[in-house]
Amino acid sequence: MPRPDSLPHLDIVSHDVYEREIPHAAYDEFRSTAPVAWVNETEANGHEGSGFWSLTAHEHIVAVHKDWRTFSSEVGGTEIEDLQLDPEALAARRTMLETDPPRHTKLRQMVNPTFSKLAVQTYAAHATELVDEVLDDALAASRATGHLDGVHAVARELPIRMITGLLGVPDDDAPQLFHWADQIVYNADPDYSPAVSDRTNTDPYRRLPFRSPVSLKVFEYVQRLAAARRGVESGDVLSVLTNALVDGEPLSEREQGTFFLLLLIAGNETTRHALAQGLLVLAQNPDALAQLRADPALLDSATEEVLRWTCPQLHFRRTATIDTELGGVPIAAGDKVVTWYTAANFDPAVFDQPYRFDIARTPNRHVTFGGGGPHLCLGQWMARLEVRTFLAALAQRVDHVELVGEPKRVRSNFINGLKALPVRLVPLT
């Protein structure tokens, strides 16, 4: 007999909820009354299974992410869905996200030099050039028509142009490649996915990342490019994955594909949504750009506040490896534990007036890049560089951002994304 839901009247799981809005009121109630809450999975939310523990308090989310031995990424994966897969199937769809140390550490060390804080700083001038190019086009479009789509005209362009060189992808291939990435990660949105996760039988694709058949197209693409990279040390991600040895063995073709797919999604999707929702929150808080323009010393704190507020990753899942407890609540070995990043980023125990957008907020202990531990976001420094550069350019060139239509959200309980943002950029005169 299933255990009862802790708060059965609240839904923080179904994709439809997140297509409308972030359920902050529900998060607040969970956090204040049942910060470690049991949620049963049903067909209605697309994840029928045994259920999971839902964490909404900052302290518990940080504790789970730091304690990888007790709360594993490798046992069962990092998505909510209840996977009852054989070990071979789990291995087939495993990315670096779904590994624990020591293998996770070895995989991460292969690409750490490319994404380190020091390495990323060498791209600062390039980022400034790209932001200026993107803003030139966006301001011209805004003047000509009175509006533009902030997602496609601005937020999508910058991370794609930044990451193609790091990945080792020809610029001409980027549109198709990132279209595939959208189809894969937005697996619950019918505007993108050919197999909507909660409306289609995706069991035939259970061995593929995000249960998406589009993953196969990315794997085929990676192998085509990898064939020309064998024995060639050019420093890009594809070359590294093609030639790397882990414990003396090369990565399998599937491992190369899943690793590349992870970096493709992480390096593009998350920054895109931080930029898009950054535009939205600036439109909703018109004094913020003027404040930043008057005091450029606020640029670093403004960057962190945009990252806290936008939080592109909604959740990750872990699995308990032993009987344990959180906040006095017993958790059994094998139980799933879901950490809601967006809830942690608005926890009043950590953030004074959390629903106030404050570009001078400091300290700012957001968990947008994870709560610590071995899975702290590999691309955090690149994301910070792009957001910071974008904010600096906006403050110098844009008087304010006007919302001229209704934003449209991605249907996903995994990615906090916008798929359309009608805005007008009003230039400084």
Side-chain angles (χ1 to χ4, degrees), residues 215-228:
S215 300
L216 293 173
K217 296 180 180 180
V218 176
F219 295 164
E220 291 168 4
Y221 176 85
V222 169
Q223 288 313 304
R224 285 202 306 272
L225 265 64

Side-chain angles (χ1 to χ4, degrees), residues 91-93 207-209 216 219 252-259:
R93 60 177 286 162
R207 296 190 177 197
L208 297 174
L216 293 173
F219 295 164
S252 68
E253 289 188 1
R254 178 55 66 89
E255 286 177 318
Q256 291 173 12
T258 56
F259 204 140

Side-chain angles (χ1 to χ4, degrees), residues 7 10-14 17-18 21-37 52 54-58 61 80 309 311 313-316 338-348 355 409 412-416:
L7 294 171
L10 295 177
D11 182 3
I12 59 170
V13 180
S14 66
V17 166
Y18 292 90
E21 62 184 0
I22 299 296
H24 282 301
Y27 287 154
D28 288 345
E29 189 169 344
F30 267 94
R31 198 188 304 106
S32 62
T33 61
V36 182
F52 61 88
S54 179
L55 308 186
T56 47
H58 187 282
I61 289 164
I80 287 179
W309 192 275
C311 195
Q313 189 69 51
L314 289 165
H315 79 263
F316 270 118
V338 173
T339 58
W340 294 100
Y341 285 16
T342 38
N345 276 1
F346 289 83
D347 187 340
Y355 295 105
R409 293 182 52 79
S412 174
N413 67 9
F414 190 64
I415 296 291
N416 179 17

Side-chain angles (χ1 to χ4, degrees), residues 109-371:
Q109 284 172 343
M110 292 192 304
V111 291
N112 261 341
T114 303
F115 293 95
S116 70
K117 185 177 182 180
L118 187 62
V120 164
Q121 286 306 309
T122 65
Y123 292 92
H126 182 52
T128 299
E129 291 175 5
L130 290 180
V131 167
D132 282 339
E133 290 175 11
V134 168
L135 275 183
D136 284 344
D137 293 341
L139 286 165
S142 196
R143 281 193 298 268
T145 64
H147 65 87
L148 56 87
D149 182 350
V151 174
H152 290 274
V154 180
R156 182 180 173 86
E157 284 298 304
L158 178 59
I160 286 177
R161 295 189 196 183
M162 282 290 293
I163 200 171
T164 49
L166 273 72
L167 292 177
V169 172
D171 289 342
D172 290 345
D173 293 353
Q176 179 62 73
L177 196 59
F178 288 102
H179 175 64
W180 288 337
D182 290 347
Q183 290 181 300
I184 293 166
V185 75
Y186 305 153
N187 64 348
D189 194 318
D191 287 345
Y192 295 92
S193 177
V196 179
S197 61
D198 60 337
R199 298 176 181 175
T200 306
N201 178 17
T202 59
D203 198 55
Y205 317 120
R206 67 190 184 279
R207 296 190 177 197
L208 297 174
F210 298 96
R211 291 192 170 219
S212 174
V214 182
S215 300
L216 293 173
K217 296 180 180 180
V218 176
F219 295 164
E220 291 168 4
Y221 176 85
V222 169
Q223 288 313 304
R224 285 202 306 272
L225 265 64
R229 306 297 175 92
R230 293 190 180 96
V232 178
E233 298 292 345
S234 57
D236 58 66
V237 166
L238 264 172
S239 297
V240 170
L241 297 182
T242 303
N243 298 298
L245 298 177
V246 179
D247 293 330
E249 296 291 331
L251 298 180
S252 68
E253 289 188 1
R254 178 55 66 89
E255 286 177 318
Q256 291 173 12
T258 56
F259 204 140
F260 179 86
L261 177 59
L262 168 64
L263 296 179
L264 175 69
I265 291 172
N268 165 49
E269 299 292 343
T270 51
T271 307
R272 178 201 307 182
H273 297 308
L275 295 174
Q277 300 212 58
L279 279 175
L280 176 57
V281 73
L282 290 172
Q284 295 167 333
N285 296 267
D287 294 336
L289 268 184
Q291 183 185 3
L292 181 57
R293 193 158 41 246
D295 187 0
L298 294 176
L299 188 55
D300 287 337
S301 60
T303 298
E304 298 305 317
E305 182 68 344
V306 166
L307 290 168
R308 178 187 78 90
W309 192 275
T310 60
C311 195
Q313 189 69 51
L314 289 165
H315 79 263
F316 270 118
R317 170 251 179 121
R318 299 290 187 262
T319 303
T321 58
I322 59 173
D323 291 344
T324 185
E325 63 89 23
L326 270 175
V329 176
I331 294 174
D335 281 356
K336 294 190 292 184
V337 177
V338 173
T339 58
W340 294 100
Y341 285 16
T342 38
N345 276 1
F346 289 83
D347 187 340
V350 177
F351 304 99
D352 183 47
Q353 300 181 66
Y355 295 105
R356 177 172 176 257
F357 181 69
D358 180 7
I359 67 169
R361 185 183 297 277
T362 186
N364 195 331
R365 294 166 49 213
H366 64 75
V367 298
T368 296
F369 297 121

Side-chain angles (χ1 to χ4, degrees), residues 370-408:
H375 285 278
L376 193 65
C377 178
L378 180 68
Q380 62 172 308
W381 299 114
M382 182 63 74
R384 283 189 167 101
L385 172 65
E386 292 181 46
V387 172
R388 189 181 192 279
T389 305
F390 183 62
L391 289 176
L394 278 180
Q396 292 167 5
R397 302 184 59 182
V398 175
D399 182 75
H400 62 281
V401 182
E402 289 182 4
L403 190 62
V404 296
E406 191 68 25
K408 292 184 179 179

Side-chain angles (χ1 to χ4, degrees), residues 34-69:
V36 182
W38 182 258
V39 176
N40 280 307
E41 295 168 283
T42 66
E43 288 188 65
N45 62 42
H47 299 287
E48 185 171 21
S50 59
F52 61 88
W53 294 104
S54 179
L55 308 186
T56 47
H58 187 282
E59 64 171 315
H60 298 145
I61 289 164
V62 170
V64 163
H65 281 271
K66 287 185 175 180
D67 187 1
W68 60 268
R69 290 180 176 84

